[in-house]
Amino acid sequence: MVSRGELFRECQAALEQAGIDDARFDTLCIFQDCLGDRNPLFSPLEAVPLDAEAAICSMTERRIGGEPLQYILGQWEFYGYPFKVGAGVLIPRPDTETLVDSVIRLCRENGITSPKIADLCAGSGCIAVTLKKELPLAEVSAVELSQEALPYLRQNVAMNEAAVTVIEGDVLAETTAARLSGLDIVVSNPPYLTAEEMADLQTEVAREPEMALVGGDDGLGFYRTLTPLWRRSLRSGGYICYEFGMGQHDMIGNILAENGFENIKFTRDLGGIVRAVTAQRSEENNG
Ligand code: GLN
């Protein structure tokens, strides 16, 4: 039988040779998962059981084939909570924690203790579930259309014991928006990549659902439709909170202002990129 240390070196070298950026990190994650040990290299001479070796080798092969590490592991952490992921659902990204933080901050600053929230394009449910966990008195709905994503969303709601209402529907349709009213907060990380970005995706991102990524030619299609449509589901003075792509903030600010939103505030992600916005539905103009 092969030792942990020896197999680790082999797998890491194979990933490096395949051009995987974080070969050591990926190998460590695979070992942790297959051996059920957070520190698999504390005992490098320990023999790896044959079934674990087979599992490690098969995961390493999948990674060499360009599959995202998160899909291979089947679970990924977001804001300290676990989320099931796999082909058909967007992988939760650290950037999106910035959006969640901005919603939580908005609630704290404005003394909103039991907000009624709708998360549009909920995907894995990372935003909706995290908000429900962090704001336990909130009433949270998660809207998703994809038949591939919905099972993950439901599973993540259950696994995290978060009382989130899952709504199956198209966020771009009036009939869906009509199902929710008097909302304090609409939050969304809609698809926002441009046609140009879609043509040049990183190997791993190309394995993620196109439906969760592509936001029309200029990436702004969802914001143009969602903003006027869901404005009507917000209470007067309620907020809309979006994540968006690098460089889109000016255009997003314009879309919000044109649709009767004020107090438009942007937040940068940990990489320094302007990544999220919160904006308030003006009290006047109730149209
Ligand atoms: N942040 C994702 C990426 O750059 C895009 C997610 C989205 O379109 N909402 O791959």
Side-chain angles (χ1 to χ4, degrees):
M1 265 193 273
V2 67
S3 73
R4 288 183 173 197
E6 210 177 320
L7 186 61
F8 195 98
R9 274 191 301 278
E10 275 173 29
C11 292
Q12 184 179 339
L15 292 182
E16 271 163 8
Q17 213 181 340
I20 306 290
D21 282 344
D22 296 311
R24 186 181 163 79
F25 174 76
D26 288 18
T27 309
L28 183 62
C29 289
I30 291 172
F31 271 63
Q32 286 171 332
D33 191 60
C34 293
L35 296 172
D37 184 345
R38 279 188 72 80
N39 298 298
L41 292 181
F42 273 6
S43 43
L45 297 179
E46 194 173 322
V48 178
L50 284 178
D51 55 345
E53 183 186 344
I56 288 168
C57 291
S58 129
M59 287 190 178
T60 306
E61 285 301 321
R62 286 169 66 187
R63 189 69 195 97
I64 288 169
E67 199 173 336
L69 175 69
Q70 296 88 338
Y71 283 178
I72 296 169
L73 299 173
Q75 187 166 306
W76 199 242
E77 197 172 281
F78 177 86
Y79 219 93
Y81 300 104
F83 290 88
K84 296 286 179 197
V85 291
V89 72
L90 190 79
I91 298 162
R93 286 151 161 75
D95 302 340
T96 304
E97 294 181 349
T98 300
L99 174 65
V100 168
D101 274 335
S102 68
V103 174
I104 294 170
R105 195 172 348 107
L106 184 75
C107 290
R108 302 227 160 108
E109 284 175 2
N110 293 286
I112 311 172
T113 50
S114 48
K116 193 171 167 187
I117 302 175
D119 173 17
L120 312 181
C121 311
S124 66
C126 63
I127 297 171
V129 167
T130 304
L131 287 174
K132 179 62 191 166
K133 300 301 277 184
E134 297 293 313
L135 304 166
L137 299 178
E139 189 186 313
V140 184
S141 300
V143 187
E144 178 55 55
L145 178 64
S146 159
Q147 293 303 315
E148 285 79 43
L150 276 161
Y152 289 102
L153 173 57
R154 294 200 169 98
Q155 194 180 0
N156 289 326
V157 164
M159 183 172 74
N160 285 288
E161 297 179 350
V164 168
T165 306
V166 173
I167 296 178
E168 187 177 338
D170 181 358
V171 298
L172 302 176
E174 299 221 5
T175 45
T176 312
R179 289 170 69 176
L180 289 161
S181 59
L183 294 168
D184 294 287
I185 296 168
V186 164
V187 59
S188 186
N189 172 21
Y192 56 66
L193 296 189
T194 63
E196 204 178 322
E197 285 166 330
M198 286 304 294
D200 192 24
L201 286 183
Q202 196 190 330
T203 316
E204 286 78 6
V205 182
R207 298 287 191 101
E208 294 187 87
E210 197 179 282
M211 181 179 166
L213 295 170
V214 62
D217 274 356
D218 67 354
L220 299 169
F222 275 75
Y223 306 95
R224 289 200 187 92
T225 306
L226 293 181
T227 309
L229 181 60
W230 287 84
R231 182 184 194 280
R232 301 200 290 270
S233 298
L234 283 174
R235 68 164 165 82
S236 176
Y239 299 85
I240 209 159
C241 307
Y242 287 137
E243 175 178 322
F244 49 80
M246 186 166 74
Q248 291 176 336
H249 51 278
D250 281 343
M251 289 303 292
I252 302 275
N254 291 344
I255 293 170
L256 287 163
E258 281 161 13
N259 284 288
F261 283 85
E262 53 193 17
N263 296 326
I264 301 171
K265 291 181 188 154
F266 294 98
T267 310
R268 289 175 193 273
D269 65 20
L270 292 175
I273 293 164
V274 185
R275 179 63 71 185
V277 69
T278 61
Q280 188 171 24
R281 178 182 157 164
S282 53
E283 303 272 353
E284 322 82 61
N285 184 3
N286 283 325

